[in-house]
């Protein structure tokens, strides 16, 4: 274990700078650090941001990136460029000892050096690590499941879907063809519905370029454990979304769970069995593991117990917001309500958090976080969507347009806004890109082939169960 150097002042005659540690480079982490570097005077504080990736991912654009409507590089915001007055540490916070004001971090160099994690000391802590996918002990899920939280997963899924269409087009085995053209999505929230809607739309378009694969040959299944999907847009819009998806021959299974996906066969709780090579898991999130490895107070769901001022309850010099924080919703009619863990709250909480942290450093009064939920928008594919904004319900093209307009206004930096707008404009003038770049996931494969004497080594594939008839 080594300690990272932290500046406490340029010379003995100057007061030590406050050391602010921001854990996480997502919505809250980036926007908080951005607010701090804008509001703090030069030399007033030293800001360190610990993040596993050198960029912030604008997750609402992941479905469009997966469908090819937006370039992957325009879905991410480089932190070093945006946070040019902050120290960026690429690594994972493994534990936090707030009593000692230290965080243990593993970096990319940790394994190479063999010295273990580094300790970063701080005076003020902003804990915003976000969340991770919540998985269940479903047999086979760890072997065959595909997540949808990162840009790498989105592009990998796009390549995978097109690859399955290529397999179906070239195989002479009807069982392999059937499994390749069956796509199962688990989770009826924003991630699952938008990813399914955009990818089905892309695959339907791509099918016209295959001589022996038609759109009606593909089977898309959405599995949701509750009795409705997209609860954020209200019951009426949720029913409309189910009706819209089913009109596109998408099999929506409500009050149904994935029981197993061993041997590439999806077994549902209603008894249905789908031989498939694609299981996309978007069934919820859970708090980041670093919260459990800290001495900060947490609620029954593992999120940090916070006040409406975005401080950690009962603890000094600790702040939190976003998915990791249970922030009281003082605008809700029901007492004891907690702000939903979504991007809308995260961005606004980050602004308030940076304001309050600066106020605390200067001995000024803090302000409570209060924001009424404006509503939600969701895309269901090109020119299709649903929205509930300030009580007004929209569907079809108007909702899709509102989805794009809203998120274009929210994506960080003017540079990204213009690049995304330019791509949307070009996409309206030219045909959709449907190429798969699966080789990007194995960039050394071609060189290994040449160096190995021309013999390509494929990893062993699991042997699937004999094909069985689909039920339901």
């Amino acid at each position: 274990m080594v300690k990272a150097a932290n500046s406490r002042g340029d010379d003995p005659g100057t007061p030590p700078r406050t050391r602010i540690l921001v854990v996480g480079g997502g919505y809250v982490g980036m926007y908080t650090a951005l607010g701090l570097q804008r509001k703090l005077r030069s030399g007033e504080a030293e800001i360190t941001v610990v993040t596993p990736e050198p960029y912030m991912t604008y997750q609402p654009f992941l479905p469009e990136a997966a469908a090819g409507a937006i370039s992957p590089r325009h879905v991410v915001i480089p932190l070093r460029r945006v946070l040019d007055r902050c120290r960026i540490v690429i690594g994972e916070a493994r534990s936090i000892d707030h009593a000692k004001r230290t965080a243990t971090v593993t970096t990319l160099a940790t394994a190479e050096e063999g010295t273990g994690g580094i300790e970063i000391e701080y005076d003020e802590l902003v804990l915003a690590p976000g969340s991770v996918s919540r998985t269940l002990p479903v047999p086979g899920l760890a072997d065959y499941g595909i997540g949808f939280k990162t840009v790498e997963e989105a592009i990998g899924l796009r390549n995978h879907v097109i690859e399955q269409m290529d397999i179906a087009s070239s195989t002479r085995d009807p069982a392999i063809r059937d499994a390749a053209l069956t796509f199962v999505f688990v989770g009826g929230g924003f991630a699952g519905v938008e990813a399914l809607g955009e990818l089905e739309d892309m695959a339907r378009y791509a099918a016209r370029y295959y001589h022996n694969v038609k759109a009606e040959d593909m089977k898309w299944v959405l599995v949701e454990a509750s009795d409705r999907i997209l609860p954020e847009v209200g019951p009426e819009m949720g029913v409309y979304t189910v009706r819209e998806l089913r009109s596109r021959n998408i099999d929506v299974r409500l009050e149904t769970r994935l029981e197993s996906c061993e041997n590439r066969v999806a077994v549902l709780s209603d008894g249905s069995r789908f031989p498939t090579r694609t299981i996309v898991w978007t069934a919820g999130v859970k708090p980041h593991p670093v919260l459990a490895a800290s001495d900060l107070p947490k609620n029954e769901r593992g999120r940090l117990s916070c006040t409406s001022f975005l401080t950690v309850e009962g603890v000094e010099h600790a702040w939190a917001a976003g998915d990791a924080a249970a922030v009281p919703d003082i605008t809700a009619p029901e007492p004891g309500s907690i702000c939903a863990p979504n991007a809308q709250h995260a961005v606004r909480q980050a602004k308030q958090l940076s304001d309050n942290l600066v106020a605390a450093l200067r001995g000024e009064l803090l302000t409570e976080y209060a924001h009424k939920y404006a509503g939600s928008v969701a895309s269901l594919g090109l020119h299709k969507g649903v929205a509930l904004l300030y009580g007004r319900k929209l569907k079809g093209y108007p909702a899709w347009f509102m989805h794009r307009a809203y998120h274009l206004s929210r994506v960080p930096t003017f540079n990204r806004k213009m690049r995304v707008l330019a791509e949307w404009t070009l996409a309206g003038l030219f045909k959709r890109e449907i190429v798969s770049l699966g080789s990007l996931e194995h960039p050394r494969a071609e060189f290994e082939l040449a160096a190995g004497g021309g013999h390509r080594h494929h990893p062993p594939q699991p042997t699937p169960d004999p094909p069985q008839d689909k039920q339901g």
Side-chain angles (χ1 to χ4, degrees), residues 22-30 32 126-130 291 304 319-322 324 353:
V22 180
V23 177
Y27 291 107
V28 176
M30 191 198 79
T32 298
V126 177
L127 198 49
L291 301 188
L304 293 173
W319 311 74
L353 195 159

Side-chain angles (χ1 to χ4, degrees), residues 79 83 91 93 100-101 111 155 181 195 211 283 304 363 386 429:
L79 294 178
L83 305 177
K100 296 182 179 178
R101 302 290 194 272
I155 304 312
L181 295 180
H211 69 282
L304 293 173
V386 291
L429 298 175

Side-chain angles (χ1 to χ4, degrees), residues 223-433:
V223 180
E224 168 55 40
S226 68
D227 61 352
R228 59 175 176 163
I229 63 175
L230 293 181
E232 296 87 351
V233 298
E236 184 179 334
M237 289 294 95
V239 170
Y240 166 80
T241 302
V242 171
R243 189 165 62 246
E244 163 67 22
L245 294 178
R246 285 175 174 167
S247 71
R248 291 156 60 179
N249 291 322
I250 296 173
D251 187 354
V252 180
R253 303 283 180 115
L254 302 178
E255 299 183 276
T256 307
R257 299 178 309 279
L258 177 68
E259 304 249 314
S260 169
C261 54
E262 287 185 302
N263 298 314
R264 288 183 168 171
V265 176
V267 180
L268 306 185
S269 59
D270 62 4
S272 303
R273 298 172 64 89
F274 297 99
T276 178
R277 299 169 63 91
T278 309
I279 302 283
V280 183
W281 182 268
T282 65
V285 296
K286 63 181 180 181
H288 194 281
V290 74
L291 301 188
S294 75
D295 55 353
L296 297 170
K298 294 166 280 291
N299 67 3
E300 66 280 359
R301 295 193 174 183
R303 297 168 68 188
L304 293 173
S305 300
C306 294
T307 70
S308 56
F309 297 100
L310 303 174
T311 60
V312 178
E313 192 171 355
V315 179
E316 294 183 343
H317 309 294
W319 311 74
D323 289 1
V327 178
D329 187 353
I330 63 176
T331 65
E334 303 84 7
S337 297
I338 300 297
C339 293
N342 56 42
Q344 188 179 144
H345 278 301
V347 173
R348 289 168 171 81
Q349 286 173 2
K351 182 180 183 302
Q352 190 64 65
L353 195 159
S354 62
D355 287 343
N356 280 352
L357 181 46
V358 172
L361 294 179
R362 297 173 180 173
E364 300 170 356
L365 294 177
L366 308 186
T367 304
E368 289 186 293
Y369 173 74
H371 171 69
K372 290 186 177 180
Y373 191 56
S376 299
V377 289
S379 170
L380 305 178
L382 189 62
H383 300 160
K384 297 176 281 289
V386 291
L388 178 64
L389 295 172
Y390 297 105
R392 186 174 181 181
K393 301 163 187 172
L394 299 173
K395 56 188 178 183
Y397 185 87
W400 172 83
F401 180 82
M402 186 61 67
H403 173 271
R404 284 199 161 183
Y406 174 80
H407 286 300
L408 184 65
S409 71
R410 292 292 179 239
V411 67
T413 77
F414 180 77
N415 179 307
R416 283 294 177 273
K417 294 180 196 294
M418 291 300 99
R419 289 180 183 273
V420 170
L421 182 60
E423 288 199 305
W424 282 343
T425 303
L426 291 174
L429 298 175
F430 301 101
K431 294 181 179 180
R432 187 196 293 256
E433 293 287 352

